[in-house]
């Protein structure tokens, strides 16, 4: 991810640690998409994903003072999100499984999303495998490099690259067929 | 960013609910953890060495005695790349002036070894030996790139010396080396690539040459590959890179990519020229099944992923998955029962194959969209088959995997993993009792079933992945990156707590094998001044410890006082 963005995120985390007004909001503003996108890819369920989003930022708040910058704040935040996902998964043994045909209905009330958005997000969740969608969403949303994604997901780089290429290919096929 | 990625970004961004108010309000009622972590200190040996070197340089420059004599003038530079990259500078008499790490893996390799004045062969032996010990060179990852920046006369001689020494050192560990040697040519674009990505001039030169003959990989992907990957890639591209001397006697690649595609497509009676076949990925898969070409293509609403052994050309695994439009059947469509679907799957493998002839036959049903899908798996003739067939007889997924790759036995059994590891690792681990915290876990992914073996030896945690089907190591040992850093942090913390004198006493007999870690962090236990301590630190540097005033288990009052750090210290 770009250094200046990392520095900006670092700044907000340090702002939160020091009680800076508006830091949490600013951090949320620029990182919410990545956290939610990742959580949604993992859980396939807007309610679980929203909970993960909430818990992640609360955890970031709690941990902000102990955060030591290594120039990779996004990876730190996403690691927290990942741990929360995993711990929820362990607690419930699985996420509430929403049948693929009902996925789109989850976004019915979201007026910010266009029809195309809803279709693409739904297809992402239903047509891509778990690994494909987490890799592609992380890449598109977080700005993490493939290498950083490999580290975050504990997957070999070669696998990440192959999942990514495959996912993009699938999505293009879908987009050509249905979106354009 | 790709156009499709932009769409994904837009879609997910707009899907994200705005819940900041709820978060902010919840945060108000939560305590923030207090920062107690000091700035990380660099490891002490390095700190001292760097300071000493700096002092020497300052004194020399102040006194004006920085003299470039024949002994210290660099006549040639040789870089060795595996994934660790190091650069050896030689004087005119081919003695080492210095060895420099180009990346952090290189730093790990060099450690505190001092090469000044030693022979080139000795330095190469030590560096390659260290790469072996640290798991960067293994049977499957056996390629070393040797890049020589010297005059034309010296190039050949130096390259030969280095290649020979690498071959000899690896041979001792029963590893066949694959050495790529190249002569460095000054090229501004290559120098820029090297400095932009923090890689050696040699690797940059190799990458820029590969990039000239293929557009399949981005510079970033090539930079991320280690030399073994690049070497195999070179082989698969089957191109002549001019003066690059490639000794791939140790290379495992037996067939090339084109042949692999041909074999994969032949599974469906197709060729590369068949209509409507779209190959969208074909490359060596180094991640799961070692040294196999993975060919992915689409045809007739199915996506195929076929793995072809790069050594023998045998199809190791096959998978096809339906990805066409949602299937709809009219009222006249015949619904098959479970038995009929089972028979269809068996028949697909061999005409009239019966349930009695196969092993481990397993069938279950689930819902997919609005249809019932039958999942059937069985083993037949050393091959494991899986089917997903809907109740109208449409195959949604078919996969098979050759189990018996060696011609003897099939899966590596869990109970045999320990002995197999000791017998087959190339990193010198010869007895289990020398390895603490030895753990074996079974990991399953869509592609592979493997064992994750982790243990601690001296001050390092090693983890290996063993492909249970192929009975091979998947890659080499992985050494946890964060371990040294956390240890340094803990050392610093204990130093702070105990003070100089106690700290020295404590570490005099410190045994690093008394460490353990799990998902949450690192733990260590030690005894000091009659107390027993349990110290924990997580990956973020948060720490706490408990002290038991009396470590004797038979204390008359039976109570062990827990003293959290904040109390009384």
């Amino acid at each position: 991810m770009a250094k200046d963005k990392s520095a900006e995120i670092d700044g907000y985390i340090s702002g939160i640690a020091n009680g800076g007004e508006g830091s949490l909001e600013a951090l949320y503003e620029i990182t919410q998409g990545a956290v939610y996108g990742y959580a949604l890819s993992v859980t396939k369920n807007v309610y679980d994903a929203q909970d993960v989003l909430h818990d992640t930022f609360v955890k970031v708040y709690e941990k902000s003072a102990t955060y030591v910058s290594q120039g990779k704040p996004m990876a730190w935040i996403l690691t927290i999100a990942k741990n929360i996902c995993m711990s929820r998964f362990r607690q419930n043994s699985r996420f509430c499984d929403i049948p693929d045909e009902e996925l789109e209905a989850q976004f019915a009330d979201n007026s910010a999303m266009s029809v195309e958005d809803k279709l693409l997000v739904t297809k992402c969740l239903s047509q891509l495998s778990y690994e494909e969608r987490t890799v592609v969403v992380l890449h598109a949303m977080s700005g993490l490099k493939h290498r950083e994604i490999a580290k975050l997901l504990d997957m070999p780089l070669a696998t990440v690259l192959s999942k990514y290429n495959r996912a993009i290919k699938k999505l293009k096929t879908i987009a050509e067929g249905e979106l354009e | 960013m790709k156009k499709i990625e932009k769409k994904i970004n837009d879609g997910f961004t707009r899907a994200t609910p705005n819940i900041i108010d709820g978060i902010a309000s919840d945060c108000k009622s939560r305590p923030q953890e207090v920062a107690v972590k000091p700035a990380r200190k660099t490891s002490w040996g390095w700190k001292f060495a760097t300071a000493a070197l700096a002092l020497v340089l300052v004194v020399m420059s102040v006194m004006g005695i920085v003299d470039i004599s024949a002994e210290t003038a660099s006549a040639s530079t040789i870089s060795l790349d595996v994934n660790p990259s190091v650069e050896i500078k030689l004087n005119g008499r081919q003695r080492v002036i210095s060895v420099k790490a180009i990346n952090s893996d290189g730093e790990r390799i060099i450690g505190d070894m001092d090469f000044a004045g030693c022979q080139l062969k000795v330095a190469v032996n030590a560096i390659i030996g260290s790469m072996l010990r640290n798991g960067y060179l293994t049977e499957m990852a056996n390629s070393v790139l040797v890049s020589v920046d010297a005059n034309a006369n010296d190039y050949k001689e130096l390259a030969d010396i280095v290649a020979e020494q690498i071959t000899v050192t690896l041979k001792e560990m029963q590893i066949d080396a694959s050495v790529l040697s190249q002569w460095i040519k000054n090229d501004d674009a290559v120098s820029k690539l090297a400095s932009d990505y923090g890689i050696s001039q040699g690797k940059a030169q190799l990458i820029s040459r590969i990039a000239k003959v293929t557009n399949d990989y981005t510079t970033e992907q090539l930079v991320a590959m280690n030399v073994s990957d690049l070497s195999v890639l070179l082989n698969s591209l089957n191109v002549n890179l001019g003066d690059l001397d490639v000794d791939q006697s140790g290379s495992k690649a037996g067939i090339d990519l084109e042949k692999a595609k041909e074999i994969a497509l032949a599974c469906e009676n197709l060729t590369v020229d068949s209509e409507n076949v779209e190959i969208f990925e074909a490359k060596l898969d180094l991640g799961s099944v070692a040294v196999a070409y993975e060919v992915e293509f689409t045809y007739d609403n199915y996506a195929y992923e076929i793995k072809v052994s790069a050594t023998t050309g045998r199809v190791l695994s096959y998978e096809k998955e339906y990805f066409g439009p949602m299937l709809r059947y009219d009222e006249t469509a015949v619904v098959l029962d479970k038995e009929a679907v089972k028979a269809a799957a068996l028949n697909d493998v061999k005409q009239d194959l019966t349930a009695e002839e196969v092993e481990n036959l397993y069938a279950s049903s689930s819902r997919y969209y609005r249809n019932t899908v039958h999942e059937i798996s069985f083993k037949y003739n050393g091959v494991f088959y899986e089917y997903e067939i809907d109740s109208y007889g449409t195959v949604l997924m078919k996969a098979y995997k050759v189990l018996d790759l060696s011609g003897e036995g099939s899966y590596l059994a869990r109970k045999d993993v320990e002995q197999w590891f000791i017998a087959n690792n190339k990193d010198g681990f010869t007895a289990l009792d020398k390895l603490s915290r030895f753990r074996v876990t079974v990991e399953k992914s869509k592609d592979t079933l493997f064992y994750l073996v982790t243990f601690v030896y001296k001050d390092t945690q090693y983890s290996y992945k063993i492909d249970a089907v192929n009975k091979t190591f998947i890659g080499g040992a992985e050494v946890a990156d964060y371990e040294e850093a956390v240890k340094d942090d803990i050392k610093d913390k204990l130093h702070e707590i105990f003070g100089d004198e106690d700290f020295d006493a404590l570490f005099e007999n410190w045994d690093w094998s008394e460490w353990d870690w799990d998902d949450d962090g690192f733990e260590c236990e030690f005894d000091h001044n009659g107390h027993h301590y349990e110290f924990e630190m997580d990956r973020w540097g948060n720490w706490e410890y408990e002290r038991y005033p009396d470590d004797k288990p038979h204390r008359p009052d039976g109570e062990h006082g827990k003293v959290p750090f904040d109390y009384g210290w």
Side-chain angles (χ1 to χ4, degrees), chain B residues 386-431:
Chain B
E386 283 178 286
Y387 284 88
E388 283 177 23
I389 300 176
D390 73 13
S391 49
Y392 297 92
T394 305
V395 176
L396 300 173
M397 195 278 295
K398 171 186 172 181
Y400 64 78
K401 194 176 230 178
V402 175
L403 297 176
D404 185 3
L405 294 178
S406 58
E408 44 187 65
S410 51
Y411 286 104
L412 174 62
R414 166 67 186 81
K415 64 180 173 47
D416 298 329
V417 174
E418 284 88 343
Q419 291 314 318
W420 188 93
F421 174 78
I422 291 301
N424 291 283
N425 82 82
K426 304 289 185 192
D427 297 337
F429 298 113
T430 53

Side-chain angles (χ1 to χ4, degrees), chain A residues 16-17 28 32 36-37 50 53-54 57 61-66 68 70 76 83 101 110 112-113 116-117 120-121 127 137 139-141 145 157 161-166 168-169 171 180, chain B residues 1-5 7-9 11-20 23-24 26-27 30-35 37 40 220-221 224 278 280-281 294 296 305 369 447 481 538 540 542:
Chain A
I16 295 167
Y28 181 85
Q32 54 166 332
Y36 185 76
Q50 186 167 324
L53 178 68
H54 172 274
F57 280 92
Y61 170 84
E62 289 173 354
K63 294 260 178 203
S64 57
T66 61
V68 179
Q70 294 178 332
W76 180 70
N83 289 340
E101 63 266 37
N110 189 326
M113 295 171 84
E116 186 183 333
D117 289 337
L120 185 68
V121 170
Q127 305 279 303
V137 170
H139 197 261
M141 303 298 294
K145 304 258 181 259
L157 177 65
L161 289 172
S162 116
K163 300 286 175 202
Y164 172 78
N165 288 330
R166 194 172 168 179
I168 289 290
K169 189 83 193 177
L171 288 171
E180 286 174 356
Chain B
M1 186 183 278
K2 293 185 167 80
K3 195 175 157 200
I4 189 78
E5 278 206 75
K7 286 184 179 173
I8 296 169
N9 188 300
F12 277 87
T13 301
R14 289 194 276 260
T16 309
N18 187 351
I19 54 167
I20 183 60
I23 293 170
D26 277 5
C27 286
R30 303 270 186 148
Q32 269 179 301
E33 291 180 18
V34 183
K37 194 174 177 307
R40 173 174 300 152
E220 200 176 69
Q221 287 173 322
E278 194 191 352
F280 60 89
E281 191 157 46
E294 185 179 294
E296 295 182 20
E305 183 178 323
Y369 288 90
D447 300 303
D481 283 337
D538 71 14
W540 295 285
N542 303 308

Side-chain angles (χ1 to χ4, degrees), chain B residues 254-533:
Chain B
I255 62 164
D256 66 11
L257 185 61
E258 290 310 310
K259 185 74 190 162
K261 283 184 195 169
E262 209 178 281
I263 294 169
L265 289 165
C267 293
E268 293 299 299
N269 292 325
L270 298 167
T271 70
V272 281
D273 300 321
S274 298
E275 256 182 68
N276 298 327
V277 168
E278 194 191 352
I279 298 179
F280 60 89
E281 191 157 46
K283 64 174 185 187
L284 266 167
D285 179 11
L286 299 160
S288 49
V289 178
V291 210
Y293 288 100
E294 185 179 294
V295 182
E296 295 182 20
F297 62 95
T298 53
Y299 177 71
D300 191 23
N301 283 336
Y302 284 95
Y304 293 83
E305 183 178 323
I306 295 174
K307 283 182 183 162
V308 181
S309 161
T311 328
T312 61
R314 188 151 66 122
V315 174
L316 302 179
S317 71
Y318 165 105
E319 187 176 333
K320 77 168 183 181
E321 207 170 344
Y322 179 77
F323 80 109
M326 193 187 293
L327 294 160
R328 296 180 199 281
Y329 302 94
D330 61 31
E331 288 155 3
T332 60
V334 179
V335 178
L336 303 174
D337 66 10
K338 198 173 180 177
E339 288 308 312
V341 172
K342 215 193 280 180
L346 291 166
N347 212 38
D348 184 70
V349 172
K350 190 182 152 200
Q351 207 172 355
D352 301 328
L353 185 65
T354 63
E356 288 69 36
E357 293 173 79
V358 302
E359 298 171 69
N360 307 102
L361 180 62
Y362 176 80
S364 67
S365 307
S366 61
R367 299 284 294 172
Y368 178 74
Y369 288 90
R370 289 186 179 81
N371 292 332
T372 299
V373 175
H374 300 282
E375 286 140 27
I376 295 135
S377 64
F378 52 88
K379 211 165 97 178
Y380 176 67
N381 242 353
V383 181
F384 181 70
Y385 293 89
E386 283 178 286
Y387 284 88
E388 283 177 23
I389 300 176
D390 73 13
S391 49
Y392 297 92
T394 305
V395 176
L396 300 173
M397 195 278 295
K398 171 186 172 181
Y400 64 78
K401 194 176 230 178
V402 175
L403 297 176
D404 185 3
L405 294 178
S406 58
E408 44 187 65
S410 51
Y411 286 104
L412 174 62
R414 166 67 186 81
K415 64 180 173 47
D416 298 329
V417 174
E418 284 88 343
Q419 291 314 318
W420 188 93
F421 174 78
I422 291 301
N424 291 283
N425 82 82
K426 304 289 185 192
D427 297 337
F429 298 113
T430 53
L432 283 175
D433 58 8
K434 299 262 169 45
L435 313 177
S436 58
R437 319 282 182 201
F438 195 97
R439 285 183 189 145
V440 179
T441 50
V442 185
E443 306 274 333
K444 285 178 191 168
S445 73
K446 202 178 153 207
D447 300 303
T448 179
L449 168 71
F450 64 87
Y451 297 106
L452 182 67
V453 173
T454 58
F455 58 84
V456 177
Y457 178 67
K458 291 193 174 165
D459 59 350
T460 308
Q461 172 171 313
Y462 294 82
S463 57
Y464 288 84
K465 286 179 182 170
I466 301 170
D467 187 316
V469 178
N470 292 325
K471 295 186 185 174
T472 51
F473 284 105
I474 303 173
E478 283 179 21
V479 180
D481 283 337
Y482 47 78
E483 185 187 354
E484 286 307 318
V486 174
K487 280 179 180 173
D488 272 350
D489 281 354
I490 294 180
K491 267 188 184 175
D492 287 342
K493 181 48 64 186
L494 293 174
H495 193 185
E496 193 182 287
I497 295 167
F498 290 111
D500 287 346
E501 208 178 309
D502 265 0
F503 179 77
D504 288 345
L506 175 64
F507 273 87
E508 204 175 291
N509 296 313
W510 188 266
D511 180 6
W512 285 113
S513 68
E514 289 299 312
W515 287 73
D516 192 13
W517 51 89
D518 55 26
D519 287 348
D520 299 325
F522 293 68
E523 292 172 18
C524 65
E525 290 183 30
F526 55 91
D527 297 316
H528 183 58
N529 274 352
H531 294 292
H532 183 73
Y533 292 81

Side-chain angles (χ1 to χ4, degrees), chain B residues 82 128 131-132 135-139 141-144 170 175 228 427:
Chain B
V82 172
I128 296 296
M131 288 184 182
L132 278 165
Y136 291 106
L137 282 169
T138 64
E139 192 181 4
N142 59 347
S143 298
V144 183
L170 290 183
I175 294 176
S228 285
D427 297 337

Side-chain angles (χ1 to χ4, degrees), chain A residues 120-161:
Chain A
L120 185 68
V121 170
T122 309
K123 290 288 177 190
C124 233
L125 298 179
S126 62
Q127 305 279 303
L128 302 185
S129 73
Y130 163 73
E131 286 163 326
E132 285 166 359
R133 61 178 186 264
T134 44
V135 167
V136 83
V137 170
L138 279 173
H139 197 261
M141 303 298 294
S142 70
L144 292 187
K145 304 258 181 259
H146 288 300
R147 206 175 190 165
E148 295 168 313
I149 294 173
K151 198 165 181 185
L152 177 72
L153 301 180
D154 200 19
M155 279 161 68
L157 177 65
T159 310
V160 168
L161 289 172

Side-chain angles (χ1 to χ4, degrees), chain B residues 102 182 187-212 218-224 230:
Chain B
I102 307 292
Q182 61 175 354
D187 179 331
D188 289 345
V190 170
S191 303
K192 185 170 183 316
L193 178 67
S195 88
D196 283 355
Y197 287 94
I199 55 176
S200 72
Q201 187 84 5
K203 189 172 176 184
Q205 180 169 301
L206 184 65
I207 285 171
S208 68
R209 291 163 133 208
I210 292 174
K212 280 181 189 153
T218 63
T219 305
E220 200 176 69
Q221 287 173 322
L222 292 171
V223 166
L230 291 171

